Amino acid sequence: QLSTSQPSPERVPSPEDQEWAGPEALCPGWLEDEAPDGEVPGDSGDPNCVTHAYEQLQSALCQEGLPPTLDCSAEPRTGFGPLDMTVCILGSPTTFLPVLLEGGTRCPGAMVLCLSPAWASRVPSETSPGTWSLLLSRGVSFRVGGHSALETFTPPRRANYVTGTFAPGDPEGGWVGELARDLDCPTGGSVPLAHQLEDTLVTRWVLAARANLPVPPTLAFVLGARGDLPAEPVAPRVRLVRLEDPQGQQSLVQEE
């Protein structure tokens, strides 16, 4: 349980000083018709999407009895170097909230939540050719006692570790997966890995065939070829039936 009695290394503004971060603070220049920098496709600066994510964060903080996020974006934070710790969480503000809160307690200011691809950019890595460095120009940082702040970083802050919501089919999955692709720092996942983990057949085959762990009796019907499975997967309690055409094969399905 987080303690609110521990002193914070930085001054926390009083409730009278708090300002809600509206669309202009969340996406500076969103009224201007400008194309975003970088190579990330999809929604890169929609104030409605960012505002919705920000409101989700405020709702989650309120439910936990924690103070709302302070808008400190008018005074950019400076002085971050390559050795400063920056753990970047991309996407959903609620999925990783416990991690953000605990990280803010153990290492105040190091946990940074990125709610939009407009808040980050990818640049060629100076240390690992062929990879990219992720630079954060904006983010929500967390500190002791569940305090959080919307901040801008000048120059942009380099991420040392990146994770986020990589779930396939998630509206955020496109830009989250693209930002985290081929980085020069460790990452907590990827869209292809999330796709594999969410595939019940693949996970059960791996657990049964490669890890020798018991799985529930599984009968799977597969249409066409599956490149992520061997031609004849052999695993205890897992049976795979390939269907070339679903039409006219009801008797085979009933027999199996």
Side-chain angles (χ1 to χ4, degrees), residues 54-218:
Y54 187 84
E55 290 175 344
Q56 281 187 315
L57 173 61
Q58 302 316 301
S59 176
L61 292 173
C62 180
Q63 292 177 11
E64 296 294 330
L66 299 173
T69 301
L70 303 183
D71 181 6
C72 303
S73 58
E75 300 180 1
R77 294 193 63 191
T78 61
F80 289 102
L83 299 181
D84 290 297
M85 177 58 64
T86 301
V87 179
C88 176
I89 307 294
L90 300 170
S92 172
T94 55
T95 303
F96 288 89
L97 184 60
V99 177
L100 291 164
L101 295 175
E102 182 65 18
T105 299
R106 295 181 177 270
C107 193
M111 306 294 296
V112 180
L113 173 64
C114 177
L115 297 177
S116 168
W119 294 10
S121 60
R122 286 159 52 91
V123 298
S125 174
E126 297 179 356
T127 58
S128 302
T131 62
W132 302 82
S133 294
L134 185 65
L135 304 181
L136 300 175
S137 59
R138 182 173 296 261
V140 178
S141 61
F142 288 77
R143 293 174 178 79
V144 177
H147 294 281
S148 58
L150 175 66
E151 299 181 314
T152 55
F153 308 111
T154 305
R157 187 171 174 177
R158 180 178 178 272
N160 306 108
Y161 181 85
V162 176
T163 189
T165 49
F166 297 104
D170 191 316
E172 300 170 343
W175 68 266
V176 171
E178 189 64 24
L179 278 180
R181 179 177 54 84
D182 298 330
L183 296 182
D184 59 358
C185 67
T187 57
S190 65
V191 172
L193 177 60
H195 179 77
Q196 295 288 338
L197 294 177
E198 289 190 359
D199 190 313
T200 304
L201 176 59
V202 172
T203 53
R204 290 190 181 183
W205 174 75
V206 170
L207 291 174
R210 298 191 176 183
N212 197 29
L213 295 176
V215 299
T218 303

